Amino acid sequence: MKLSVRGKSMDVTPALQQYVEKHTDKIQRYFDKEIALHVLLSVTKNTQKAEATMQVDGIFIRAVEKSQDMYKSIDVVFDKLERQIHKYKTRLAKRFKGRQVLNDRFLAPTTPAAAHEAEPEGESFEVVRHKSFGMKPMSTEEAILQMNLLDHNFFIFKNEETDLISVIYKRDDGKYGVIETKE
């Protein structure tokens, strides 16, 4: 496992590092291959926050927990990660019963046709609205203005500088983030 533990507004003590490392065993047991796990520990006022993001062949799973105690935050964030992994693996196992569930990409169906099969009972994802719209190239600042005018949390646009499709989104801290596609 590739583990990185960082601190934001705090120093990561050897005790915290060891505590995080202790929890990685219950995550690694779900995978045959190496995974990358990034843990960010931060302190703001009276809140101790633990964020864990893991990557397995391009699939990302993320969990965040805030509490009054950093050790409790770490415990809960790893419990959340484990539940998410278990949920997705069991959902796929039910959906593709009798077939190879996971291929090299961890969560990808083994055949293109399998991706379009219906979910099992009680596990459907209902799409209630489809939208399509034209995209004129715009700057990041213009996209932020457009997003705020629409009162949305995110906005998809064609970046005039890179000529790629991008997404601008509002973060929990009130700032903005950009997700850009690759060619």
Side-chain angles (χ1 to χ4, degrees), residues 89-156:
K89 281 195 161 196
T90 55
R91 179 178 293 158
L92 286 171
K94 287 178 190 174
R95 182 174 178 189
F96 301 111
K97 190 174 182 179
R99 288 183 269 174
Q100 180 185 353
V101 178
L102 305 174
N103 67 6
D104 292 338
R105 302 231 5 118
F106 168 54
L107 294 176
T110 56
T111 64
H116 300 293
E117 288 182 5
E119 289 283 328
E121 288 182 42
E123 302 235 359
S124 66
F125 299 100
E126 183 179 4
V127 177
V128 295
R129 187 167 183 188
H130 289 269
K131 281 187 175 183
S132 62
F133 57 94
M135 278 194 240
K136 71 174 187 112
M138 62 177 70
S139 68
T140 304
E141 292 78 18
E142 188 177 353
I144 291 172
L145 290 172
Q146 185 68 46
M147 178 183 69
N148 289 335
L149 285 172
L150 294 170
D151 195 28
H152 285 178
N153 297 352
F154 69 95
F155 186 75
I156 302 170

Side-chain angles (χ1 to χ4, degrees), residues 65-116:
E65 181 61 30
K66 299 176 187 176
S67 73
Q68 301 293 323
D69 178 36
M70 183 60 77
Y71 290 96
K72 180 179 178 187
S73 294
I74 292 169
D75 287 341
V76 175
V77 84
F78 275 95
D79 288 343
K80 284 182 178 181
L81 272 180
E82 189 175 15
R83 279 194 307 272
Q84 287 179 15
I85 293 165
H86 184 70
K87 179 176 94 175
Y88 288 120
K89 281 195 161 196
T90 55
R91 179 178 293 158
L92 286 171
K94 287 178 190 174
R95 182 174 178 189
F96 301 111
K97 190 174 182 179
R99 288 183 269 174
Q100 180 185 353
V101 178
L102 305 174
N103 67 6
D104 292 338
R105 302 231 5 118
F106 168 54
L107 294 176
T110 56
T111 64
H116 300 293

